[in-house]
Amino acid sequence: MKCAIFGAAPITGGLDYIRSAMPEGDRVVIAADGGLRYTAALGLTPDIIIGDMDSVRQEDIPAGAILYPSRKDDTDMMLAVKKGLALGADEFFLFGGLGGRLDHTYANFQTLAYLSEHNVRGWLLDENHRVCMLENGELALSPEYRYLSIFAYGGICTGVTITGAEYPLDDAVLEPSFPLGVSNCHAPGDQMRVSVKEGSLLIIQTKLS
Amino acid sequence: MKCAIFGAAPITGGLDYIRSAMPEGDRVVIAADGGLRYTAALGLTPDIIIGDMDSVRQEDIPAGAILYPSRKDDTDMMLAVKKGLALGADEFFLFGGLGGRLDHTYANFQTLAYLSEHNVRGWLLDENHRVCMLENGELALSPEYRYLSIFAYGGICTGVTITGAEYPLDDAVLEPSFPLGVSNCHAPGDQMRVSVKEGSLLIIQTKLS
């Protein structure tokens, strides 16, 4: 089962990218706090509404919402992710998690790492970016994004290989204190692939130049 | 000596915050690639212009600019930082380094980590955020920002303590895969301080709610 979660970060480029990125079929839709306004705008009925709801007017909080106090250790996005994991979801699509407050954006990178630790793939999306975490594995990259940047996340990464790219890498070491992997792109006609033997790579794809 | 560097990221909220955050006195001003348009708009003459200049029209590249090819391992911001370090600067103010492409933003977090490894403090600023890296040390936090968020960067952080805050922490452990330190704020009348015994903390302060 797939899980789509809507967070409260400002969505500036319209909702069309969400329509095309939404998982089909067996899925659960979760609105985290202010993400409720995006599910409403998309005409989606969330299966679960969760969070401290401090971005939502009291009278707009639907019956059945799972309320948490504002003073809590989890972000609203983390509450939603834990709920999705408990329901057995094995792939997560996080909307409304980039943009606005930079600390929330970074917290969502950590949420991707949390999902990765649970052996589940998470995608953090906005209209121009797709972000994921790759831990000791390989990923084939969609050609719809112009640039690929990879970063050693949470420690050194070894055995980092990129094929099918303008700037291939072969069994390289990446460190969290040096931005070596920025602005790679697809070699014409090739399928770009990234792999890492040891460590976690934060992978950011962007349509922007 | 202090070093102000201007990167090419879009600055959306006007330049006033730069005027108030610019270091005074003994300083070097570096324009990295498209950051040149911000030094021009501020009426500043950069001491150094550096980068691949792919964001600047050929005819607008000033004489004396230090040109690099586009195919390079360093980002333009890293080139500028290395130059500032070589000149002996011991505190860095990075403008035009947040916003726009998310991979550039993340690369600039790594640049803060690089400065931290060189025992030099770097500040990454936009009109709403101030970001820095704290490695095995203590930092007093300016009260002009509403929220404080801290993240274990590049590995586990131990001995994390926050005083003078709504949510104090005492000798805590933070991990890169769990956003525990989001949305703290100043306790009324107190000076907020953060310290870490072992590891690197990414510290994000924001004026946004």
Side-chain angles (χ1 to χ4, degrees):
Chain A
M1 185 178 63
K2 298 184 195 304
C3 180
I5 299 177
F6 290 83
I11 294 181
T12 52
L15 300 174
D16 279 348
Y17 83 93
I18 300 179
R19 291 188 184 93
S20 59
M22 271 295 281
E24 303 286 340
D26 187 20
R27 72 180 186 194
V28 59
V29 176
I30 304 181
D33 187 44
L36 200 55
R37 66 177 180 274
Y38 300 128
T39 52
L42 288 159
L44 291 168
T45 304
D47 302 294
I48 292 161
I49 299 162
I50 198 166
D52 58 22
M53 296 295 158
D54 63 357
S55 313
V56 180
R57 284 185 311 180
Q58 192 73 23
E59 61 267 33
D60 293 339
I61 301 175
I66 305 171
L67 295 181
Y68 281 79
S70 290
R71 295 182 75 94
K72 57 179 164 36
D73 283 344
D74 283 310
T75 61
D76 290 318
M77 188 65 93
M78 273 301 295
L79 290 174
V81 157
K82 285 179 171 178
K83 195 74 190 170
L85 283 173
L87 292 169
D90 55 11
E91 190 175 10
F92 284 73
F93 298 78
L94 313 181
F95 304 104
L98 296 172
R101 273 178 60 178
L102 190 59
D103 52 343
H104 283 173
T105 294
Y106 198 90
N108 289 330
F109 296 156
Q110 293 203 320
T111 300
L112 291 181
Y114 180 87
L115 284 168
S116 181
E117 274 193 3
H118 287 75
N119 301 310
V120 164
R121 172 65 33 83
W123 304 101
L124 190 50
L125 299 134
D126 71 13
E127 72 274 26
N128 293 312
H129 299 93
R130 192 167 80 153
V131 187
C132 71
M133 196 72 68
L134 179 65
E135 197 176 330
N136 312 345
E138 189 190 63
L139 186 71
L141 291 153
S142 146
E144 68 186 294
Y145 293 86
R146 179 164 179 174
Y147 289 114
L148 164 77
S149 297
I150 62 173
F151 303 98
Y153 182 88
I156 287 173
C157 287
T158 59
V160 179
T161 296
I162 306 179
T163 57
E166 273 290 309
Y167 307 90
L169 266 185
D170 182 29
D171 204 23
V173 175
L174 292 189
E175 294 180 40
S177 59
F178 196 86
L180 180 68
V182 181
S183 293
N184 212 328
C185 44
H186 297 263
D190 267 8
Q191 167 71 65
M192 186 155 55
R193 288 176 187 277
V194 178
S195 61
V196 55
K197 281 188 192 141
E198 192 93 30
S200 291
L201 281 180
L202 182 72
I203 298 180
I204 303 180
Q205 290 181 271
T206 179
K207 293 176 180 170
L208 299 172
S209 63
Chain B
M1 186 177 63
K2 299 182 193 306
C3 180
I5 300 177
F6 291 82
I11 293 181
T12 51
L15 300 174
D16 279 348
Y17 84 93
I18 300 180
R19 291 187 185 94
S20 58
M22 270 294 281
E24 303 287 339
D26 187 22
R27 72 179 188 194
V28 59
V29 176
I30 304 181
D33 187 45
L36 200 53
R37 67 177 180 275
Y38 300 128
T39 51
L42 288 159
L44 291 167
T45 305
D47 302 295
I48 293 161
I49 299 162
I50 198 166
D52 58 22
M53 296 295 157
D54 64 357
S55 314
V56 180
R57 283 186 312 181
Q58 192 73 24
E59 61 268 34
D60 292 340
I61 300 175
I66 306 170
L67 294 181
Y68 281 79
S70 289
R71 293 183 77 94
K72 57 180 164 36
D73 282 344
D74 283 309
T75 61
D76 291 317
M77 187 63 94
M78 272 301 295
L79 290 174
V81 156
K82 286 180 170 177
K83 195 74 190 168
L85 284 173
L87 292 170
D90 56 11
E91 190 175 9
F92 285 72
F93 299 78
L94 313 181
F95 304 103
L98 296 173
R101 272 177 61 179
L102 190 59
D103 52 343
H104 282 172
T105 294
Y106 199 88
N108 288 330
F109 296 156
Q110 293 202 319
T111 300
L112 291 182
Y114 180 87
L115 284 168
S116 180
E117 274 193 2
H118 287 75
N119 301 311
V120 164
R121 171 66 34 81
W123 303 101
L124 189 52
L125 299 134
D126 72 11
E127 73 274 25
N128 292 314
H129 298 94
R130 192 168 79 153
V131 188
C132 71
M133 197 71 69
L134 178 65
E135 198 176 330
N136 312 347
E138 190 190 61
L139 186 71
L141 291 154
S142 147
E144 70 186 293
Y145 293 88
R146 179 165 178 171
Y147 289 114
L148 163 79
S149 298
I150 62 173
F151 303 99
Y153 182 87
I156 287 173
C157 288
T158 58
V160 179
T161 298
I162 306 180
T163 56
E166 274 290 309
Y167 306 89
L169 265 185
D170 182 29
D171 203 25
V173 175
L174 292 189
E175 293 180 41
S177 60
F178 196 85
L180 180 67
V182 180
S183 293
N184 212 327
C185 43
H186 298 262
D190 266 8
Q191 166 71 65
M192 187 156 54
R193 290 175 185 278
V194 179
S195 61
V196 54
K197 281 188 192 142
E198 194 92 31
S200 292
L201 281 181
L202 181 72
I203 297 179
I204 303 181
Q205 290 181 273
T206 179
K207 292 176 180 172
L208 299 172
S209 63

PDB file of all heavy atoms in Angstrom, chain A residues 9-20 37-38 42 96 98-100 125-129 207-208:
ATOM      1  N   ALA A   9       3.274  23.140   4.370  1.00  0.00           N
ATOM      2  CA  ALA A   9       4.175  24.118   3.738  1.00  0.00           C
ATOM      3  C   ALA A   9       3.479  24.781   2.553  1.00  0.00           C
ATOM      4  O   ALA A   9       2.656  24.156   1.878  1.00  0.00           O
ATOM      5  CB  ALA A   9       5.455  23.434   3.274  1.00  0.00           C
ATOM      6  N   PRO A  10       3.781  26.062   2.300  1.00  0.00           N
ATOM      7  CA  PRO A  10       3.141  26.752   1.177  1.00  0.00           C
ATOM      8  C   PRO A  10       3.450  26.069  -0.155  1.00  0.00           C
ATOM      9  O   PRO A  10       4.591  25.720  -0.423  1.00  0.00           O
ATOM     10  CB  PRO A  10       3.756  28.161   1.214  1.00  0.00           C
ATOM     11  CG  PRO A  10       4.922  28.093   2.152  1.00  0.00           C
ATOM     12  CD  PRO A  10       4.709  26.922   3.037  1.00  0.00           C
ATOM     13  N   ILE A  11       2.413  25.855  -0.958  1.00  0.00           N
ATOM     14  CA  ILE A  11       2.594  25.296  -2.300  1.00  0.00           C
ATOM     15  C   ILE A  11       2.396  26.443  -3.272  1.00  0.00           C
ATOM     16  O   ILE A  11       1.307  27.004  -3.375  1.00  0.00           O
ATOM     17  CB  ILE A  11       1.596  24.149  -2.559  1.00  0.00           C
ATOM     18  CG1 ILE A  11       1.916  22.977  -1.627  1.00  0.00           C
ATOM     19  CG2 ILE A  11       1.646  23.716  -4.014  1.00  0.00           C
ATOM     20  CD1 ILE A  11       1.015  21.763  -1.798  1.00  0.00           C
ATOM     21  N   THR A  12       3.469  26.833  -3.962  1.00  0.00           N
ATOM     22  CA  THR A  12       3.415  28.070  -4.747  1.00  0.00           C
ATOM     23  C   THR A  12       3.107  27.836  -6.220  1.00  0.00           C
ATOM     24  O   THR A  12       2.599  28.709  -6.890  1.00  0.00           O
ATOM     25  CB  THR A  12       4.751  28.822  -4.645  1.00  0.00           C
ATOM     26  OG1 THR A  12       5.801  27.916  -4.971  1.00  0.00           O
ATOM     27  CG2 THR A  12       4.966  29.360  -3.241  1.00  0.00           C
ATOM     28  N   GLY A  13       3.420  26.666  -6.736  1.00  0.00           N
ATOM     29  CA  GLY A  13       3.338  26.481  -8.186  1.00  0.00           C
ATOM     30  C   GLY A  13       2.067  25.788  -8.666  1.00  0.00           C
ATOM     31  O   GLY A  13       2.054  25.208  -9.744  1.00  0.00           O
ATOM     32  N   GLY A  14       0.994  25.832  -7.883  1.00  0.00           N
ATOM     33  CA  GLY A  14      -0.234  25.141  -8.281  1.00  0.00           C
ATOM     34  C   GLY A  14      -0.195  23.673  -7.886  1.00  0.00           C
ATOM     35  O   GLY A  14       0.852  23.162  -7.449  1.00  0.00           O
ATOM     36  N   LEU A  15      -1.353  23.023  -8.033  1.00  0.00           N
ATOM     37  CA  LEU A  15      -1.496  21.657  -7.534  1.00  0.00           C
ATOM     38  C   LEU A  15      -1.353  20.588  -8.621  1.00  0.00           C
ATOM     39  O   LEU A  15      -1.445  19.397  -8.341  1.00  0.00           O
ATOM     40  CB  LEU A  15      -2.864  21.512  -6.844  1.00  0.00           C
ATOM     41  CG  LEU A  15      -3.082  22.448  -5.639  1.00  0.00           C
ATOM     42  CD1 LEU A  15      -4.510  22.317  -5.125  1.00  0.00           C
ATOM     43  CD2 LEU A  15      -2.099  22.128  -4.517  1.00  0.00           C
ATOM     44  N   ASP A  16      -1.113  21.007  -9.858  1.00  0.00           N
ATOM     45  CA  ASP A  16      -1.084  20.033 -10.964  1.00  0.00           C
ATOM     46  C   ASP A  16      -0.028  18.947 -10.780  1.00  0.00           C
ATOM     47  O   ASP A  16      -0.248  17.785 -11.116  1.00  0.00           O
ATOM     48  CB  ASP A  16      -0.835  20.746 -12.297  1.00  0.00           C
ATOM     49  CG  ASP A  16      -2.124  21.351 -12.844  1.00  0.00           C
ATOM     50  OD1 ASP A  16      -3.200  21.018 -12.299  1.00  0.00           O
ATOM     51  OD2 ASP A  16      -2.045  22.162 -13.780  1.00  0.00           O
ATOM     52  N   TYR A  17       1.133  19.353 -10.241  1.00  0.00           N
ATOM     53  CA  TYR A  17       2.191  18.352 -10.070  1.00  0.00           C
ATOM     54  C   TYR A  17       1.753  17.257  -9.098  1.00  0.00           C
ATOM     55  O   TYR A  17       2.178  16.102  -9.212  1.00  0.00           O
ATOM     56  CB  TYR A  17       3.501  19.008  -9.619  1.00  0.00           C
ATOM     57  CG  TYR A  17       3.593  19.253  -8.127  1.00  0.00           C
ATOM     58  CD1 TYR A  17       4.189  18.319  -7.273  1.00  0.00           C
ATOM     59  CD2 TYR A  17       3.077  20.410  -7.563  1.00  0.00           C
ATOM     60  CE1 TYR A  17       4.254  18.543  -5.907  1.00  0.00           C
ATOM     61  CE2 TYR A  17       3.141  20.642  -6.208  1.00  0.00           C
ATOM     62  CZ  TYR A  17       3.739  19.710  -5.388  1.00  0.00           C
ATOM     63  OH  TYR A  17       3.792  19.912  -4.043  1.00  0.00           O
ATOM     64  N   ILE A  18       0.892  17.643  -8.143  1.00  0.00           N
ATOM     65  CA  ILE A  18       0.401  16.634  -7.186  1.00  0.00           C
ATOM     66  C   ILE A  18      -0.504  15.638  -7.909  1.00  0.00           C
ATOM     67  O   ILE A  18      -0.387  14.430  -7.718  1.00  0.00           O
ATOM     68  CB  ILE A  18      -0.358  17.305  -6.022  1.00  0.00           C
ATOM     69  CG1 ILE A  18       0.589  18.259  -5.281  1.00  0.00           C
ATOM     70  CG2 ILE A  18      -0.924  16.250  -5.070  1.00  0.00           C
ATOM     71  CD1 ILE A  18      -0.049  18.997  -4.122  1.00  0.00           C
ATOM     72  N   ARG A  19      -1.392  16.175  -8.764  1.00  0.00           N
ATOM     73  CA  ARG A  19      -2.303  15.286  -9.504  1.00  0.00           C
ATOM     74  C   ARG A  19      -1.518  14.230 -10.290  1.00  0.00           C
ATOM     75  O   ARG A  19      -1.890  13.070 -10.345  1.00  0.00           O
ATOM     76  CB  ARG A  19      -3.189  16.103 -10.437  1.00  0.00           C
ATOM     77  CG  ARG A  19      -4.201  16.956  -9.692  1.00  0.00           C
ATOM     78  CD  ARG A  19      -5.217  17.613 -10.607  1.00  0.00           C
ATOM     79  NE  ARG A  19      -6.106  18.488  -9.828  1.00  0.00           N
ATOM     80  CZ  ARG A  19      -5.883  19.798  -9.643  1.00  0.00           C
ATOM     81  NH1 ARG A  19      -4.854  20.389 -10.204  1.00  0.00           N
ATOM     82  NH2 ARG A  19      -6.710  20.514  -8.892  1.00  0.00           N
ATOM     83  N   SER A  20      -0.407  14.645 -10.884  1.00  0.00           N
ATOM     84  CA  SER A  20       0.333  13.659 -11.686  1.00  0.00           C
ATOM     85  C   SER A  20       1.247  12.766 -10.835  1.00  0.00           C
ATOM     86  O   SER A  20       1.624  11.688 -11.281  1.00  0.00           O
ATOM     87  CB  SER A  20       1.137  14.354 -12.803  1.00  0.00           C
ATOM     88  OG  SER A  20       2.032  15.275 -12.241  1.00  0.00           O
ATOM     89  N   ARG A  37      -5.929  21.776   3.770  1.00  0.00           N
ATOM     90  CA  ARG A  37      -6.432  22.686   2.732  1.00  0.00           C
ATOM     91  C   ARG A  37      -6.050  22.192   1.342  1.00  0.00           C
ATOM     92  O   ARG A  37      -6.742  22.477   0.363  1.00  0.00           O
ATOM     93  CB  ARG A  37      -5.934  24.118   2.964  1.00  0.00           C
ATOM     94  CG  ARG A  37      -4.444  24.345   2.817  1.00  0.00           C
ATOM     95  CD  ARG A  37      -4.138  25.841   3.006  1.00  0.00           C
ATOM     96  NE  ARG A  37      -2.720  26.143   2.887  1.00  0.00           N
ATOM     97  CZ  ARG A  37      -1.833  26.061   3.874  1.00  0.00           C
ATOM     98  NH1 ARG A  37      -2.233  25.655   5.067  1.00  0.00           N
ATOM     99  NH2 ARG A  37      -0.557  26.360   3.686  1.00  0.00           N
ATOM    100  N   TYR A  38      -4.983  21.419   1.239  1.00  0.00           N
ATOM    101  CA  TYR A  38      -4.599  20.893  -0.079  1.00  0.00           C
ATOM    102  C   TYR A  38      -5.464  19.701  -0.474  1.00  0.00           C
ATOM    103  O   TYR A  38      -5.851  19.580  -1.632  1.00  0.00           O
ATOM    104  CB  TYR A  38      -3.119  20.523  -0.103  1.00  0.00           C
ATOM    105  CG  TYR A  38      -2.223  21.701   0.193  1.00  0.00           C
ATOM    106  CD1 TYR A  38      -1.250  21.633   1.174  1.00  0.00           C
ATOM    107  CD2 TYR A  38      -2.377  22.896  -0.501  1.00  0.00           C
ATOM    108  CE1 TYR A  38      -0.434  22.722   1.455  1.00  0.00           C
ATOM    109  CE2 TYR A  38      -1.580  23.995  -0.223  1.00  0.00           C
ATOM    110  CZ  TYR A  38      -0.610  23.895   0.758  1.00  0.00           C
ATOM    111  OH  TYR A  38       0.185  24.978   1.031  1.00  0.00           O
ATOM    112  N   LEU A  42      -7.880  19.671  -3.756  1.00  0.00           N
ATOM    113  CA  LEU A  42      -7.738  18.603  -4.747  1.00  0.00           C
ATOM    114  C   LEU A  42      -8.996  17.734  -4.840  1.00  0.00           C
ATOM    115  O   LEU A  42      -9.050  16.808  -5.664  1.00  0.00           O
ATOM    116  CB  LEU A  42      -6.538  17.716  -4.399  1.00  0.00           C
ATOM    117  CG  LEU A  42      -5.156  18.336  -4.627  1.00  0.00           C
ATOM    118  CD1 LEU A  42      -4.105  17.619  -3.790  1.00  0.00           C
ATOM    119  CD2 LEU A  42      -4.772  18.283  -6.108  1.00  0.00           C
ATOM    120  N   GLY A  96       3.601  19.212   0.268  1.00  0.00           N
ATOM    121  CA  GLY A  96       3.498  20.297   1.252  1.00  0.00           C
ATOM    122  C   GLY A  96       4.557  20.149   2.337  1.00  0.00           C
ATOM    123  O   GLY A  96       4.334  20.500   3.498  1.00  0.00           O
ATOM    124  N   LEU A  98       8.031  20.978   1.499  1.00  0.00           N
ATOM    125  CA  LEU A  98       9.191  21.774   1.070  1.00  0.00           C
ATOM    126  C   LEU A  98       8.737  23.219   0.884  1.00  0.00           C
ATOM    127  O   LEU A  98       7.617  23.476   0.453  1.00  0.00           O
ATOM    128  CB  LEU A  98       9.743  21.259  -0.268  1.00  0.00           C
ATOM    129  CG  LEU A  98      10.312  19.844  -0.295  1.00  0.00           C
ATOM    130  CD1 LEU A  98      10.637  19.430  -1.728  1.00  0.00           C
ATOM    131  CD2 LEU A  98      11.566  19.754   0.570  1.00  0.00           C
ATOM    132  N   GLY A  99       9.609  24.154   1.170  1.00  0.00           N
ATOM    133  CA  GLY A  99       9.246  25.559   0.999  1.00  0.00           C
ATOM    134  C   GLY A  99       8.751  26.148   2.296  1.00  0.00           C
ATOM    135  O   GLY A  99       8.412  25.426   3.242  1.00  0.00           O
ATOM    136  N   GLY A 100       8.707  27.458   2.394  1.00  0.00           N
ATOM    137  CA  GLY A 100       8.307  28.104   3.635  1.00  0.00           C
ATOM    138  C   GLY A 100       9.424  28.017   4.649  1.00  0.00           C
ATOM    139  O   GLY A 100      10.567  28.373   4.354  1.00  0.00           O
ATOM    140  N   LEU A 125       8.155  15.941  -2.368  1.00  0.00           N
ATOM    141  CA  LEU A 125       7.934  16.543  -3.689  1.00  0.00           C
ATOM    142  C   LEU A 125       7.420  17.972  -3.618  1.00  0.00           C
ATOM    143  O   LEU A 125       6.598  18.304  -2.758  1.00  0.00           O
ATOM    144  CB  LEU A 125       6.897  15.711  -4.457  1.00  0.00           C
ATOM    145  CG  LEU A 125       7.279  14.259  -4.727  1.00  0.00           C
ATOM    146  CD1 LEU A 125       6.125  13.331  -4.411  1.00  0.00           C
ATOM    147  CD2 LEU A 125       7.713  14.076  -6.173  1.00  0.00           C
ATOM    148  N   ASP A 126       7.901  18.817  -4.518  1.00  0.00           N
ATOM    149  CA  ASP A 126       7.179  20.039  -4.854  1.00  0.00           C
ATOM    150  C   ASP A 126       7.165  20.159  -6.377  1.00  0.00           C
ATOM    151  O   ASP A 126       7.535  19.213  -7.077  1.00  0.00           O
ATOM    152  CB  ASP A 126       7.735  21.288  -4.138  1.00  0.00           C
ATOM    153  CG  ASP A 126       9.080  21.752  -4.653  1.00  0.00           C
ATOM    154  OD1 ASP A 126       9.527  21.286  -5.728  1.00  0.00           O
ATOM    155  OD2 ASP A 126       9.696  22.604  -4.009  1.00  0.00           O
ATOM    156  N   GLU A 127       6.730  21.294  -6.898  1.00  0.00           N
ATOM    157  CA  GLU A 127       6.554  21.363  -8.351  1.00  0.00           C
ATOM    158  C   GLU A 127       7.875  21.301  -9.110  1.00  0.00           C
ATOM    159  O   GLU A 127       7.891  21.001 -10.308  1.00  0.00           O
ATOM    160  CB  GLU A 127       5.745  22.606  -8.759  1.00  0.00           C
ATOM    161  CG  GLU A 127       6.476  23.923  -8.623  1.00  0.00           C
ATOM    162  CD  GLU A 127       6.385  24.530  -7.232  1.00  0.00           C
ATOM    163  OE1 GLU A 127       6.209  23.774  -6.246  1.00  0.00           O
ATOM    164  OE2 GLU A 127       6.506  25.758  -7.125  1.00  0.00           O
ATOM    165  N   ASN A 128       8.990  21.555  -8.427  1.00  0.00           N
ATOM    166  CA  ASN A 128      10.287  21.572  -9.104  1.00  0.00           C
ATOM    167  C   ASN A 128      11.283  20.534  -8.607  1.00  0.00           C
ATOM    168  O   ASN A 128      12.341  20.359  -9.220  1.00  0.00           O
ATOM    169  CB  ASN A 128      10.936  22.956  -8.943  1.00  0.00           C
ATOM    170  CG  ASN A 128      10.181  24.024  -9.681  1.00  0.00           C
ATOM    171  OD1 ASN A 128       9.830  23.856 -10.842  1.00  0.00           O
ATOM    172  ND2 ASN A 128       9.898  25.130  -9.005  1.00  0.00           N
ATOM    173  N   HIS A 129      10.984  19.906  -7.483  1.00  0.00           N
ATOM    174  CA  HIS A 129      11.966  19.020  -6.860  1.00  0.00           C
ATOM    175  C   HIS A 129      11.380  17.666  -6.510  1.00  0.00           C
ATOM    176  O   HIS A 129      10.191  17.548  -6.203  1.00  0.00           O
ATOM    177  CB  HIS A 129      12.511  19.654  -5.561  1.00  0.00           C
ATOM    178  CG  HIS A 129      13.214  20.947  -5.749  1.00  0.00           C
ATOM    179  ND1 HIS A 129      12.563  22.159  -5.633  1.00  0.00           N
ATOM    180  CD2 HIS A 129      14.507  21.238  -6.059  1.00  0.00           C
ATOM    181  CE1 HIS A 129      13.431  23.140  -5.854  1.00  0.00           C
ATOM    182  NE2 HIS A 129      14.615  22.617  -6.117  1.00  0.00           N
ATOM    183  N   LYS A 207      13.994  20.458 -11.508  1.00  0.00           N
ATOM    184  CA  LYS A 207      13.701  20.892 -12.869  1.00  0.00           C
ATOM    185  C   LYS A 207      14.280  22.277 -13.143  1.00  0.00           C
ATOM    186  O   LYS A 207      14.305  22.719 -14.282  1.00  0.00           O
ATOM    187  CB  LYS A 207      12.184  20.927 -13.082  1.00  0.00           C
ATOM    188  CG  LYS A 207      11.535  19.559 -13.052  1.00  0.00           C
ATOM    189  CD  LYS A 207      10.018  19.644 -13.168  1.00  0.00           C
ATOM    190  CE  LYS A 207       9.419  18.235 -13.121  1.00  0.00           C
ATOM    191  NZ  LYS A 207       7.957  18.255 -12.996  1.00  0.00           N
ATOM    192  N   LEU A 208      14.676  22.975 -12.092  1.00  0.00           N
ATOM    193  CA  LEU A 208      15.173  24.350 -12.239  1.00  0.00           C
ATOM    194  C   LEU A 208      16.598  24.364 -12.764  1.00  0.00           C
ATOM    195  O   LEU A 208      17.361  23.435 -12.542  1.00  0.00           O
ATOM    196  CB  LEU A 208      15.142  25.065 -10.886  1.00  0.00           C
ATOM    197  CG  LEU A 208      13.784  25.219 -10.209  1.00  0.00           C
ATOM    198  CD1 LEU A 208      13.947  25.762  -8.807  1.00  0.00           C
ATOM    199  CD2 LEU A 208      12.886  26.121 -11.029  1.00  0.00           C
TER     200      LEU A 208
END
